[in-house]
Amino acid sequence: MFNASLNTSSSSDAQHVLAVYGWDEGWEAEFAPYAAQGLVPGRVVRVDRGQCDVVTPDGVVRADTAFVVPHDPMKVVCTGDWVAVDPEDGDPRYARTILPRRTAFVRSTSSKRSEGQVLATNIDHIVICVSLAVELDLGRIERFLALAMSSSSGEALLRKSADSWESGAQPLVVLSKADLVPDPVGLSYLVEDVETVAPGVQVIPVSSATGEGLDVLRAVVGGGTSVLLGVSGAGKSTLANTLLGEDVMSVQAARDVDGKGRHTTTTRNLLVLPEGGVLIDTPGLRGVGLWDAETGVGQVFSEIEALAEECRFHDCAHEAEPGCAVTAAVDDGTLSVRRLESYRKLLRENQRIVAKTDARVRAEILKDWKRKGAEGRAAMEAKRGSGARHPGR
């Protein structure tokens, strides 16, 4: 237990006991002021009903979250957080504060207020689980990746920086239930399809039934903290059980008609992997709303961003402008229409989300709408004038 007089020895105990959960010298330095107050360090492994389970040097304790649930939903305690909790003589024990987060995976909530929801924190790898039991939805994969590549880091949790992916969590795509595609050539084509929409991202076909790809995945998640994301029925809980080596997570069969699951995981749980690293398993996500993901969208669609640099006009909308390199790439077949439409859709959605919380962005959007409206009216007037001069046409 931490206290002012036993600071040094207790710190060593915490370093040893919590090391498997990701505790390091950086966290120890962050915690030093709270150690001097007699508080105990711990990592949140589960949050529910106003309380959280926290693993500490004393073991797993149940702590009240009253002090770590502010009005700002982006700052609410979450699975993966490192916290300072009351010593064991506290009754009840409270989680007093959250240590500054290194990274976080954030999505927009489904509420009309368009608030951000933090799904997991202090993560090193974002594992996007996609089932091969149903047809690949490349648009959904692009959406997940845009959020993953915009995962916030350090003090940039509410203020994105251009290098948030490089300094934050690394995404990878796991194609689960690979045994349902027995043809190696067919499987390679599916992997290639995903790699096309996931530039620079590792894509791993995995089967919990046959063991295919598990050695590669274990090597990736064996270091640091990984969060497992995907829709219901993607095979997340089965994959988590396979990595854990035991049936920790409840599993139910997906519906044959659409491959959807039934939310067997209802809370986010942080679990220690036997071969190193920790895994945060999450409930299936019905909706994956973007949240300040412009950086991520740009990285997912890096080839379109590169083409846009070659457009004649710097503010080209890639629609009907002369000299547009993006539409030219669509015309010559080097860029698919589906890919461009997905890019436009995600950019528009992200802009709407940002505009709801940023007055400057709202003003810029309104200004752009007025400009385009004026240009459209001018074009119509010019067309009418041309018709008046040539009545015989």
Side-chain angles (χ1 to χ4, degrees):
M1 180 175 63
F2 276 69
N3 57 54
S5 61
L6 298 177
N7 200 341
T8 302
S9 60
S10 297
S11 177
S12 298
D13 291 342
Q15 182 78 10
H16 175 72
V17 174
L18 298 178
V20 294
Y21 290 90
W23 182 263
D24 56 28
E25 293 180 356
W27 290 120
E28 187 172 1
E30 290 282 0
F31 187 76
Y34 306 105
Q37 299 172 27
L39 297 176
V40 178
R43 192 165 194 189
V44 178
V45 297
R46 177 188 173 102
V47 179
D48 65 302
R49 299 178 183 178
Q51 293 188 312
C52 59
D53 292 335
V54 183
V55 59
T56 74
D58 307 320
V60 177
V61 303
R62 190 77 166 159
D64 195 291
T65 62
F67 293 99
V68 287
V69 182
H71 292 299
D72 185 347
M74 293 284 283
K75 298 179 181 178
V76 172
V77 67
C78 182
T79 301
D81 277 328
W82 287 95
V83 296
V85 300
D86 290 333
E88 59 184 350
D89 54 353
D91 185 22
R93 299 181 75 166
Y94 287 94
R96 295 288 175 174
T97 191
I98 301 172
L99 299 189
R101 293 163 173 168
R102 293 179 180 175
T103 58
F105 185 89
V106 184
R107 70 165 177 175
S108 174
T109 66
S110 58
S111 71
K112 294 181 180 180
R113 291 177 294 179
S114 298
E115 295 173 336
Q117 179 188 21
V118 183
L119 297 183
T121 64
N122 301 314
I123 47 181
D124 301 291
H125 309 287
I126 297 175
V127 183
I128 301 167
C129 191
V130 179
S131 172
L132 291 179
V134 294
E135 184 177 355
L136 283 177
D137 186 338
L138 298 179
R140 178 178 287 156
I141 295 172
E142 289 165 339
R143 177 178 291 271
F144 267 107
L145 286 171
L147 276 173
M149 292 180 176
S150 295
S151 59
S152 308
S153 58
E155 295 181 356
L157 282 171
L158 301 177
R159 187 180 65 256
K160 292 292 192 303
S161 62
D163 61 351
S164 61
W165 178 25
E166 287 79 358
S167 61
Q170 295 291 318
L172 66 148
V173 178
V174 167
L175 301 180
S176 65
K177 307 180 184 180
D179 53 288
L180 298 181
V181 187
D183 177 19
V185 176
L187 181 60
S188 70
Y189 285 151
L190 292 172
V191 172
E192 185 178 327
D193 286 343
V194 176
E195 288 176 338
T196 300
V197 303
V201 175
Q202 187 173 10
V203 180
I204 309 173
V206 168
S207 170
S208 296
T210 66
E212 178 181 359
L214 289 174
D215 54 342
V216 178
L217 181 58
R218 286 194 178 100
V220 174
V221 302
T225 299
S226 303
V227 60
L228 195 56
L229 299 169
V231 300
S232 296
K236 299 185 304 301
S237 294
T238 298
L239 186 58
N241 286 338
T242 302
L243 293 172
L244 290 163
E246 56 181 317
D247 291 340
V248 175
M249 308 307 297
S250 176
V251 177
Q252 293 185 22
R255 295 191 307 231
D256 291 336
V257 65
D258 55 12
K260 292 183 179 180
R262 286 172 279 185
H263 293 288
T264 53
T265 301
T266 57
T267 59
R268 295 183 284 278
N269 304 279
L270 187 147
L271 308 158
V272 176
L273 297 172
E275 297 179 18
V278 293
L279 180 71
I280 299 176
D281 189 24
T282 64
L285 300 176
R286 286 193 178 93
V288 192
L290 298 186
W291 178 260
D292 200 2
E294 183 177 358
T295 298
V297 173
Q299 289 177 317
V300 173
F301 298 90
S302 56
E303 82 280 23
I304 298 180
E305 297 269 307
L307 286 168
E309 294 292 327
E310 302 175 13
C311 292
R312 182 182 303 177
F313 304 108
H314 75 278
D315 60 346
C316 183
H318 318 308
E319 293 175 350
E321 297 87 347
C324 175
V326 175
T327 54
V330 172
D331 292 339
D332 65 23
T334 57
L335 176 66
S336 71
V337 173
R338 188 212 65 80
R339 182 85 166 149
L340 178 57
E341 287 302 315
S342 181
Y343 172 71
R344 288 170 172 164
K345 178 181 179 180
L346 293 181
L347 278 184
R348 287 194 301 267
E349 178 181 332
N350 187 69
Q351 190 178 49
R352 287 195 301 271
I353 292 294
V354 174
K356 290 181 179 180
T357 57
D358 191 320
R360 180 185 59 81
V361 173
R362 284 199 300 273
E364 289 178 353
I365 293 174
L366 181 59
K367 182 180 179 181
D368 186 54
W369 283 349
K370 289 181 177 179
R371 178 183 62 80
K372 289 182 177 179
E375 290 175 351
R377 288 191 295 273
M380 289 299 295
E381 290 296 331
K383 186 175 181 180
R384 292 192 188 99
S386 176
R389 288 192 298 271
H390 304 280
R393 289 187 176 181

